[in-house]
Structure formats: C-alpha cells, structure tokens
C-alpha cells in the first residue's frame, strides 16, 4: 500500500458534501485498503465559512474554490455545488491543473457534458458522475461498462423522487396535485420552489445523460422533450385505475425501431399496475433498461438524499483513485454512434384521451372519423352521458405523437367537442 495519501478537494459542503466528508473520515481505512493508498481531504470550498461543520477541520475550509482547484497538488476534485456556474469553470480549471473530477451535477453534464469530457480527455484525467443520475442507484457504470458489449434499446425510468412522492400520494389518497405538493413540501421532499422537479427539468437532465451513454450519442438537455406533471388531476388517476394503470412521471429514452435514430422525453404517463415501475412508491427511483442480449433489467433505490448520493460519489472517488494509482483513466465519452435525436412527433406510443362532447346522434362517428383521418387507430371507447353532454374516453393503438397532436387539434375544432379534458400517453405495455 502506498503511504503517501491521494489528496481530495471538496467543492460544496451541503447535504451531499458533508456526507462525502463524513464517509471519507469514518471509512478511511477501508477506502485506503480498497484503493491501495490513503485518501486525504485536503480542502473544502464553501460559501459560508463561519458555519460549523462537524468532523471537518476548520483549517481546511476556504471560500476560494478557484485557488483550491488550482493548487496543483490535488489529485481529485469532488464537485457537489450543482448548477452551471461556477461549477463548470471550476471543473474545467481542476482538469487543467491536473486533477480528476467526480461530480454530481446533472444540469451541467446534460448541458455541457461533451465539452467537459473533451477537457478531461485533453488533460488525461477522469470525469465520473454516477451521482448525477438517480442518487445511490448504480446506472452510469452499468450502462457505460457492464452493458458495453450489449445494445441498449430503451431506458424507461422514474428518476425524480419528489414527483414520484406527489403522484404516489395522489394515487393512494385521491388527493389533487396541489394538496399532494403541499404535503411533499411540508415533509421536506419538495423544495420551496419545486419548479425543477414538477416541470420535469431535473428528470430531463437525467434523461439526456442516460440517453447519451445508452446510445453512444450526444444528447443534450435541449434534445429532451419535456412535460411537467402539474396538470395531472385526480380524475386522471380515476381514469388510470379504470384501465388497470397508475400515473408516473417517466423519463423514456428509446432507439427507433429501424435503429437509425433515438428519442428522449419526460412526461407523465399511464403504466399498467403489473409493470415493475408501477410499484415504485414514495420518493424512490427506478430505471428499467431493455437491451438486445440482457433483456430487461431494473435498477431501484433511493434517488436523492445526502448519504445515498454520497455513496455514489464515494464509489466514483474509489474508481478514480484506483485509476490514478495504476496510471490510467476510465472510459470517457462514447458518442461514436452519433445517432440523430428525433423530435417528439416521431415517438410512437399509445394514448388515453378524455373528451367532453355533446351527447347526440353522430357525435361518436364524427370523433372516430377524425382519428381515422389522422391514421390513429382506436383500441377502446368508453362513453358516459348525462343531460345531453357526455364524456368520451378513447384509448388508441400505437401511433405517431405527431398524428395524435393533429387528431387533437382537429377534435378541438368540432362544434360537438366541448373540450379535451386530458391527453395521457400509455407506456410500459
Ligand atoms: N430533486 C431530485 C428528486 C433529486 O426529487 O429526485 C436530485 O436530483
């Protein structure tokens, strides 16, 4: 075992950073044995230096993150600040100054992953980010390494715990969105400003990262079609139940059937109760991976929180330190396939559409004609009428999303269609 320690700089000491520091201290001997050299916390960059941080030597704390990453004697920089800047500049500077980087920064990786990977390659360093997607759940390494010999066709997952908590609450109690969000906020699952979670930005960043690795193709946040879950209603859950389904906010990355392109999307969707993702409760995450040879794999666990996320960070830290000692680097970006990322209109799936219509002769035929004219085949129709009005629930066979959009646009123009109450995609069948 090498006695000279590997030096680690920690950027950020919040919920995740403080757990990383704690585990580095409490598991120091095991980490040293697994790596082949001790690891030493050599500096901790924070915004508020006066805050007391249990277990961290105050002499290590600095507000000058730039000076820390430029020191030249740092072997690994662990970035758990989040956000685009200053994280991007700090990571780039760390790589330029000879450090490998472990990051948990999904937003940055989804936006600028290619440039950061290029910087890591240029300087012969590692850039690892297992913690950026689904907290403790091993996903990046399985996709990048364990499945490197297989062909991944689909990644379908619940990658945001806050929204899963809210949707699970709506499902189990019949609550509306606002009531369930209020409970999530009171219990500390949702942040004071829940936009990133409920509007799907967080999940879309994770989808971009997963799609890029799964399909060996650059996929950026802007390539991911995103719809939040704020408009899911208690009535949608009642409809889902009638179909033997529940509703989840899903991240779905798919290779087209002809293999020539890929899509990535985040939106609420109905999934059958028998699908493994339907039983993912509370704030847990789960990701279903389908590949040619392995078939179906499911990864499940806590997708957020200090200790679970730190577990993923520490796993990367051990891997990066091992690489340093053996004078090598791990796998970098693999984007050789360079498949085009198709727009949402090219996605093929099933749809559940609720319409409010006039209840009079010919209306059903009129509605069915609109579906037929747009090439969307109907699977089932359920109608419930009252006082000259009716609600019509149409479930389709698989159709292009663009065809469904055209259908809905035309339906809205019919005098007999009073309104389109909801449109929900049906996945996982
Ligand atoms: N806010 C995220 C979630 C965790 O609720 O899952 C961090 O990505």
């Amino acid at each position: 075992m090498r006695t000279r320690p590997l030096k680690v700089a920690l950027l950020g000491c919040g919920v995740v950073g403080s757990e990383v520091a704690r585990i580095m201290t409490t598991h120091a001997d095991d980490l040293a044995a697994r790596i082949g050299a001790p690891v030493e916390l050599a500096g901790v960059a924070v915004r508020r230096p006066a805050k007391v941080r249990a277990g961290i030597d105050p002499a290590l704390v600095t507000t000058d993150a730039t000076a820390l990453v430029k020191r030249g004697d740092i072997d690994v920089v662990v970035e758990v600040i989040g956000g685009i800047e200053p994280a991007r500049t700090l990571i780039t500077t760390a790589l330029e100054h000879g450090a490998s980087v472990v990051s948990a920064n999904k937003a940055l990786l989804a936006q600028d992953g290619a440039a950061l990977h290029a910087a890591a390659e240029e300087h012969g360093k590692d850039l690892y980010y297992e913690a950026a997607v689904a907290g403790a759940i091993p996903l990046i390494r399985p996709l990048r390494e364990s499945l490197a010999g297989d062909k991944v066709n689909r990644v379908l997952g619940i990658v945001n715990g806050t929204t899963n908590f809210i949707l699970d609450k709506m499902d189990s109690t019949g609550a509306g969105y606002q009531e369930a969000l209020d409970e999530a906020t009171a219990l500390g699952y949702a942040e004071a400003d829940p936009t990133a979670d409920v509007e799907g930005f967080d999940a879309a960043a994770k989808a971009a990262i997963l799609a890029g690795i799964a399909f060996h193709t650059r996929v950026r946040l802007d390539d991911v079609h995103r719809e939040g879950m704020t408009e899911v209603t208690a009535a949608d859950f009642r409809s889902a139940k009638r179909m033997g389904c529940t509703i989840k906010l899903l991240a779905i990355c798919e290779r087209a059937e002809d293999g020539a392109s890929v899509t990535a999307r985040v939106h609420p969707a109905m999934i059958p109760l028998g699908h493994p993702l339907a039983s993912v409760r509370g704030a847990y995450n789960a990701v279903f991976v389908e590949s040619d040879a392995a078939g179906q794999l499911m990864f499940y666990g806590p997708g957020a929180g200090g200790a679970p996320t730190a577990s993923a960070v520490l796993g990367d830290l051990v891997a990066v330190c091992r690489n340093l000692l053996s004078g090598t680097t791990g796998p970098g970006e693999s984007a050789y396939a360079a498949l085009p990322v198709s727009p949402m209109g090219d996605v093929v799936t099933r749809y559940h559409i609720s319409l409010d219509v006039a209840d009079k002769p010919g209306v059903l035929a009129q509605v069915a004609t609109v579906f037929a004219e747009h090439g969307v085949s109907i699977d089932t129709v359920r109608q419930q009428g009252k006082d000259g009005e009716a609600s019509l629930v149409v479930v389709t066979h698989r159709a292009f999303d663009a065809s469904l959009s055209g259908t809905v646009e035309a339906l809205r123009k019919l005098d007999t269609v009073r309104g389109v109450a909801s449109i929900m995609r049906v996945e996982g069948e």
Side-chain angles (χ1 to χ4, degrees):
M1 159 118 60
R2 185 177 111 157
T3 50
R4 188 160 51 85
L6 289 156
K7 293 191 176 177
V8 177
L10 185 58
L11 308 183
C13 198
V15 176
V16 177
S18 57
E19 282 297 312
V20 170
R22 182 185 67 76
I23 297 169
M24 280 182 68
T25 307
T26 56
H27 296 190
D29 291 345
D30 284 328
L31 292 173
R34 291 170 196 177
I35 291 167
V39 276
E40 172 191 303
L41 195 56
V44 183
V46 300
R47 265 186 312 184
R48 285 171 293 147
K51 189 173 154 191
V52 176
R53 295 178 170 86
I56 293 183
D57 179 356
L60 297 179
V61 174
T62 175
T63 53
D64 193 346
T66 305
L68 180 58
V69 299
K70 279 184 174 174
R71 253 171 55 171
D73 66 333
I74 300 295
D75 295 294
V76 185
V77 167
V78 173
E79 182 271 312
V80 283
I81 305 172
I84 304 300
E85 284 294 354
R88 173 171 47 199
T89 303
L90 290 169
I91 289 176
T92 310
T93 309
L95 293 166
E96 285 166 4
H97 285 77
S100 283
V101 172
V102 173
S103 172
N105 195 328
K106 60 202 157 263
L108 180 56
L109 266 305
Q111 185 172 305
D112 279 329
L116 295 175
H117 274 294
E121 191 176 340
E122 183 189 343
H123 299 288
K125 296 294 161 194
D126 274 328
L127 171 64
Y128 276 42
Y129 43 90
E130 182 66 68
V133 180
I137 308 174
L139 271 173
I140 305 292
R141 196 166 287 116
L143 283 171
R144 210 186 220 180
E145 298 183 33
S146 318
L147 292 167
D150 205 339
K151 181 181 175 196
V152 176
N153 295 312
R154 196 159 191 245
V155 179
L156 170 74
I158 296 166
V159 292
N160 184 273
T162 306
T163 47
N164 201 55
F165 179 90
I166 294 169
L167 291 169
D168 186 27
K169 196 49 68 178
M170 291 173 74
D171 186 35
S172 58
T173 66
Y177 164 70
Q178 191 59 49
E179 192 187 332
L181 171 64
D182 290 346
E183 185 170 349
T185 310
L187 292 172
Y189 288 109
E191 296 188 29
D193 177 1
T195 310
D197 293 319
V198 300
E199 295 295 353
F201 291 100
D202 176 83
K206 293 165 180 169
I209 295 170
L210 291 175
I213 296 171
F215 304 135
H216 301 271
T217 286
R218 277 187 191 153
V219 180
R220 298 184 75 230
L221 180 59
D222 291 347
D223 297 320
V224 181
H225 174 86
R226 177 192 55 77
E227 294 171 30
M229 44 72 73
T230 57
E231 284 169 23
V232 177
T233 63
D236 290 329
F237 272 99
R238 287 195 293 275
S239 297
K241 279 197 175 130
R242 271 195 289 268
M243 280 186 63
C245 289
T246 186
I247 298 171
K248 298 289 188 188
L249 184 74
L250 297 179
I252 305 170
C253 314
E254 282 174 320
R255 196 187 286 277
E257 270 170 36
D258 65 3
S261 62
V262 297
T263 52
R265 52 192 164 115
V266 167
H267 53 71
M270 292 185 182
I271 53 167
L273 291 171
H275 192 283
L277 289 179
S279 52
V280 176
R281 309 297 303 270
Y284 275 81
N285 285 192
V287 177
F288 209 68
V289 176
E290 297 174 17
S291 68
D292 266 3
Q296 298 181 325
L297 305 166
M298 180 142 143
F299 300 82
Y300 171 84
T309 308
S311 165
V313 170
L314 264 297
D316 279 354
L317 181 63
V318 169
V320 165
C321 287
R322 285 172 175 162
N323 291 343
L324 281 170
L325 288 185
S326 56
T328 183
T329 52
E333 185 189 35
S334 173
Y336 73 91
L339 294 167
V341 185
S342 299
M344 187 63 193
D346 288 4
V347 164
V348 177
T349 189
R350 296 179 70 207
Y351 307 87
H352 175 286
I353 303 115
S354 297
L355 304 169
D356 296 322
V357 297
D359 193 2
K360 58 184 190 184
V363 173
L364 188 55
Q366 224 181 9
V367 166
T369 301
V370 171
F371 278 85
E373 282 169 353
H374 289 83
V376 180
S377 172
I378 293 173
D379 180 18
T380 61
V381 180
R382 184 167 46 81
Q383 179 178 329
Q384 198 165 18
K386 197 178 170 211
D387 302 332
E389 300 286 310
S391 83
L392 202 57
V393 174
V394 179
V395 180
T396 74
H397 289 296
R398 281 164 63 77
F400 283 106
D401 215 80
S403 306
L404 195 276
S405 298
T407 305
V408 171
E409 204 177 309
L411 286 170
R412 286 191 208 275
K413 289 185 186 145
L414 292 180
D415 290 342
T416 48
V417 173
R418 310 281 190 239
V420 179
S422 88
I423 307 160
M424 190 79 67
R425 298 180 184 93
V426 185
E427 303 288 343
E429 291 178 304

